[in-house]
């Protein structure tokens, strides 16, 4: 199971770092991905990282502003979000999969999300 945390209320242009902690071992073949869902919208791919190689993937709307990283010792994946915009406001979730996919159904072990609110 993965658990996201670190959300909060920030102003436009601010930064925020989210954490995704795994309750058990993360295998090198796994991919941990961040998705977000705003009210009335589908869950959107944000970023993913392959645990073993560290290869990173980003959605078009966040590339250049968000950075995904991992701490193997802590079994945790981080999402550093810079230059936040009101459009970034959503509930952010993390899940794990076996392929670097931008599709929600390719991930599982979703935990509760964490709310990010961006005021203009």
């Amino acid at each position: 199971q993965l658990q996201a945390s670190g959300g909060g209320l920030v102003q436009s242009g601010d930064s925020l770092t989210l954490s995704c902690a795994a309750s058990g071992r993360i295998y090198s073949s796994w991919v941990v991905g961040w998705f977000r869902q705003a009210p009335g919208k589908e869950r959107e791919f944000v970023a993913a990282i392959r645990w073993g190689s560290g290869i990173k993937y980003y959605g078009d709307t966040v590339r250049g502003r968000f950075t995904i990283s991992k701490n193997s010792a802590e079994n945790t994946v981080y999402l550093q979000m810079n230059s936040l915009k009101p459009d970034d406001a959503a509930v952010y979730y993390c899940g794990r999969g076996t392929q670097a996919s931008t599709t929600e159904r390719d991930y599982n072990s979703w935990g509760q999300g964490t709310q990010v609110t961006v005021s203009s």
Side-chain angles (χ1 to χ4, degrees):
Q1 190 81 13
L2 301 177
Q3 185 61 51
S5 63
L9 171 62
V10 297
Q11 293 187 335
S12 183
D14 283 353
S15 298
L16 195 64
T17 299
L18 305 182
S19 300
C20 173
S23 58
R25 178 181 174 183
I26 301 179
Y27 292 87
S28 61
S29 60
W30 288 0
V31 174
V32 177
W34 283 99
F35 285 72
R36 66 187 183 186
Q37 189 166 21
K41 295 187 177 181
E42 294 185 352
R43 198 167 288 194
E44 174 192 16
F45 172 75
V46 176
I49 187 168
R50 187 169 291 280
W51 193 256
S53 65
I55 296 176
K56 304 173 184 181
Y57 310 86
Y58 294 97
D60 290 339
T61 57
V62 306
R63 188 176 291 112
R65 298 187 298 124
F66 290 12
T67 302
I68 190 170
S69 62
K70 66 181 179 75
N71 184 317
S72 299
E74 297 180 354
N75 262 7
T76 301
V77 172
Y78 299 97
L79 184 69
Q80 170 71 40
M81 305 184 295
N82 297 328
S83 302
L84 282 162
K85 308 173 183 178
D87 285 348
D88 295 318
V91 178
Y92 284 70
Y93 300 88
C94 57
R96 68 167 178 86
T98 57
Q99 56 182 320
S101 171
T102 60
T103 304
E104 177 190 357
R105 65 174 178 268
D106 291 327
Y107 294 81
N108 53 45
S109 298
W110 302 100
Q112 282 188 325
T114 186
Q115 177 74 51
V116 174
T117 304
V118 184
S119 64
S120 57

